[in-house]
Amino acid sequence: MSIRVLVADDQEIVRTGLTILLNAHPDITVVGEAANGQRAVELARELRPDVCLLDIRMPGVDGIEATRLLAGPGVADPLAVVVITTFDLDELVYAALRAGARGFLLKEAGAAMLAEAVHAAAAGDALIAPSITARLLRTFAAAGPAGAQRQPVDPLTDREEEVLRTVAVGRTNSEIAGELHISLSTVKTHVASLMAKLGARNRVEIAMWAYEHRRVTRP
């Protein structure tokens, strides 16, 4: 089945370019376009696309607020959101991921990574530009002791700790299976267990927990 995508960007030429790039893939179809965050939220709720591709800097409701409205903690039936932006700033990355985004890309990432991010989000995975992931790891690692923060409801097993670290550095389920020499279904079981123990709604929240608790010490 084709992955249905909503594209939101306040620049028409960018929306058109993203739409052309995505529609070039036989299994991806752009089903709607929006020029601002408010319209993006309205269309997303109406069309229920598989993935929402949102720019951060838009007039009125920006991409981060739109992400929160579509995928945030209070949303009963969240949509998959990938944030794409020109601005490579740590605070924007963190805010977008906290708002519920499943991916974060720079507009310079290229067509291949754009399609990969859409496929990952549609599959329930997360893709964050590698350069951003590495910098976030360094930032959190340099921030000092984690302090008193939310702990798992049950202790993590050794294998869950391994899966946690691979999720945190952006590995997909297939990559984790190959790296840890376990089956794909076993990976999915461990990821589901991590979500339950950490109170995480998705893989990005698992990764953010790992960063905040210094479970990953090198990019």
Side-chain angles (χ1 to χ4, degrees), residues 141-204:
Q149 298 188 29
R150 176 170 51 89
Q151 297 300 316
V153 294
D154 291 307
L156 304 186
T157 65
D158 290 342
R159 180 62 86 185
E160 286 169 347
E161 289 280 3
E162 291 180 319
V163 173
L164 174 72
R165 287 189 287 271
T166 56
V167 169
V169 296
R171 300 285 193 273
T172 65
N173 283 349
S174 296
E175 291 170 337
I176 294 171
E179 187 172 322
L180 299 183
H181 307 290
I182 56 180
S183 70
L184 189 59
S185 62
T186 300
V187 174
K188 292 179 179 178
T189 297
H190 286 311
V191 171
S193 179
L194 284 170
M195 290 173 63
K197 287 185 176 182
L198 303 179
R201 295 171 305 139
N202 53 52
R203 298 167 69 90
V204 170

Side-chain angles (χ1 to χ4, degrees), residues 16-145:
T16 300
L18 291 171
T19 297
I20 291 172
L21 289 174
L22 292 171
N23 281 337
H25 294 266
D27 61 345
I28 299 177
T29 302
V30 175
V31 295
E33 298 181 28
N36 57 68
Q38 182 60 47
R39 183 56 178 155
V41 171
E42 293 170 354
L43 274 179
R45 288 172 173 169
E46 174 187 341
L47 300 174
R48 301 296 301 178
D50 300 304
V51 179
C52 300
L53 186 64
L54 307 181
D55 182 31
I56 283 186
R57 299 289 176 89
M58 292 187 288
V61 175
D62 64 17
I64 292 175
E65 179 59 21
T67 298
R68 187 174 294 109
L69 292 170
L70 295 173
V75 179
D77 189 14
L79 293 168
V81 174
V82 174
V83 171
I84 183 168
T85 182
T86 306
F87 303 96
D88 185 10
L89 301 174
D90 287 338
E91 59 267 27
L92 293 181
V93 179
Y94 193 80
L97 298 182
R98 275 300 186 204
R102 280 193 195 168
F104 189 103
L105 291 178
L106 299 178
K107 290 180 180 177
E108 64 187 30
M113 186 168 285
L114 172 65
E116 187 178 351
V118 168
H119 281 108
D125 290 339
L127 188 149
I128 305 170
S131 61
I132 294 173
T133 301
R135 196 176 66 245
L136 279 177
L137 288 172
R138 287 194 295 269
T139 299
F140 282 112

